[in-house]
Structures are given as C-alpha cells and as structure tokens.
Amino acid sequence: MRQTLVIIKPDAVNRCIAGKVIQRFEEKGLQIKAMKMELLQPYVLKEHYAHLKDKKFFEGLISYMASIPSMLMILEGKDAVKVVRKMVGSTQGRDAEPGTIRGDYSVSNQSNIVHASENEEAAKEEIKRFFKKEEIYEYKKMDFDWIYSRDETYMKK
Ligand code: UDP
Ligand code: MG
C-alpha cells in the first residue's frame, strides 16, 4: 500500500465542496489515514511550493493558500499517488478533463480545489511536512476484502 497527501484548498473549503471531494476519494476505495483542518502558514507553504519560487504567480499562490483554513488528508491504497493524481486531473481548471475533480469543480489556474502529491518521493516528504506520526491512524477498513482481490492484497505494492 502507498500513501499520498491531499490538501483540500481554501477555495474548496470556502465554496462548501470539501465534502464532495472527500466523498470521491472514499467512494473510489481509498482509505483516509489522517485528516485535519489547518490554516497553513506562509513559511510552510513556501517550503511546500519551493519548486515554484521563481514563477510570477508564487506570491499570489502563497497568499491564496494561507487565506483561510485548508483540509489536509493522507490517503492510502495501492498505487495511491498515481490513482489520486489521475482523479485530481491536470493543473489548470479550464484544461482539466470533465470527470476529474478539477475538471468538474474549477475554471482557474490557481483556485483548483486540491493539491495531490506528484510522485512517491514528494508524497513521503509532504506527509512528513504536514502530519505528526500520532495523527496517522492504523485501522482495518471493513470493506477492504471487497475493494481489492485476494492476489492484490498479498502483493506488496
Ligand atoms: N498555479 C498557479 N498558476 C499557474 C500554475 C499553477 O497559481 O499558472 C498554482 C496552482 O494552484 C497549482 C499550484 O500552483 O495547483 C502548484 O503548481 P504545480 O505545477 O505543482 O501543479 P499541481 O501539482 O498542483 O497540479
Ligand atoms: Mg505540483
């Protein structure tokens, strides 16, 4: 099983569609291992988006992300990083395919509803950045044996 970080961004919280976004992940079969609401501070956002520090939208991105609280989650499942990125869709709301979260709920390059880790390495780093060990829960999901086949359950990835 793999874990990935999702941030339900301020626009989704303000537009009252956080629940719909969470529901999509639940319905897909991903397990919520951690979840909290937090007003993200500029210093942590600057670290999180460091790869974009030279972009002209950087300052605007930080102030949007720090404007009101976000909802942060760790999702677990087989190939969770890839699965979640696919569900989220491409970065720019107007380009994102209908059926994806961004495609269905956004029309902006910036206010695009969710963040999802880009790859395995980023996921590990981001989970560490935003969650303490004691905020992450181990529990048995009762429908687990129906979500995956037996073969998949015994495979490592
Ligand atoms: N962003 C923006 N303007 C742009 C491109 C991106 O404000 O022209 C914001 C947008 O909120 C995006 C975030 O910067 O989600 C991170 O950009 P990245 O390229 O990492 O896209 P993502 O991984 O979120 O799809
Ligand atoms: Mg990214």
Side-chain angles (χ1 to χ4, degrees):
M1 291 293 156
R2 292 285 189 266
Q3 295 185 343
T4 190
L5 180 90
V6 166
I7 303 176
I8 301 178
K9 295 179 172 183
D11 52 318
V13 174
N14 222 341
R15 290 172 55 197
C16 304
I17 51 176
K20 289 189 178 182
V21 174
I22 295 168
Q23 187 171 15
R24 287 193 181 217
F25 294 129
E26 286 186 306
E27 286 177 347
K28 179 74 171 170
L30 293 154
Q31 184 176 20
I32 301 172
K33 301 292 297 238
M35 189 159 83
K36 63 181 174 185
M37 189 175 219
E38 193 173 311
L39 179 62
L40 299 174
Q41 298 301 308
Y43 83 89
V44 79
L45 288 165
K46 283 181 185 167
E47 194 181 285
H48 177 63
Y49 284 127
H51 60 293
L52 300 170
K53 67 177 186 311
D54 298 328
K55 303 279 185 195
K56 64 179 189 307
F57 60 80
F58 184 70
E59 287 305 323
L61 172 63
I62 301 302
S63 62
Y64 143 66
M65 288 296 293
S67 60
I68 67 157
S70 293
M71 292 172 69
L72 295 91
M73 315 165 69
I74 299 173
L75 297 175
E76 186 175 285
K78 291 186 84 63
D79 300 322
V81 175
K82 205 170 72 186
V83 168
V84 171
R85 282 292 289 195
K86 215 166 182 182
M87 289 177 74
V88 165
S90 60
T91 304
Q92 313 206 335
R94 290 190 294 282
D95 282 344
E97 290 290 327
T100 64
I101 294 168
R102 286 169 171 170
D104 286 351
Y105 295 121
S106 70
V107 286
S108 165
N109 293 346
Q110 182 162 91
S111 301
N112 58 3
I113 313 293
V114 265
H115 165 81
S117 308
E118 268 174 58
N119 52 49
E120 301 282 341
E121 200 190 333
K124 284 201 179 79
E125 205 174 289
E126 292 174 358
I127 285 170
K128 233 192 248 166
R129 177 174 300 131
F130 290 104
F131 282 94
K132 299 186 192 109
K133 275 216 169 76
E134 59 268 28
E135 293 175 318
I136 306 170
Y137 292 93
E138 281 306 322
Y139 64 99
K140 183 169 165 51
K141 205 167 172 298
M142 296 315 288
D143 55 2
F144 187 82
D145 294 340
W146 298 100
I147 284 173
Y148 295 106
S149 71
R150 257 166 198 268
D151 294 349
E152 290 168 310
T153 311
Y154 290 114
M155 277 158 47
K156 271 195 180 138
K157 218 177 174 189

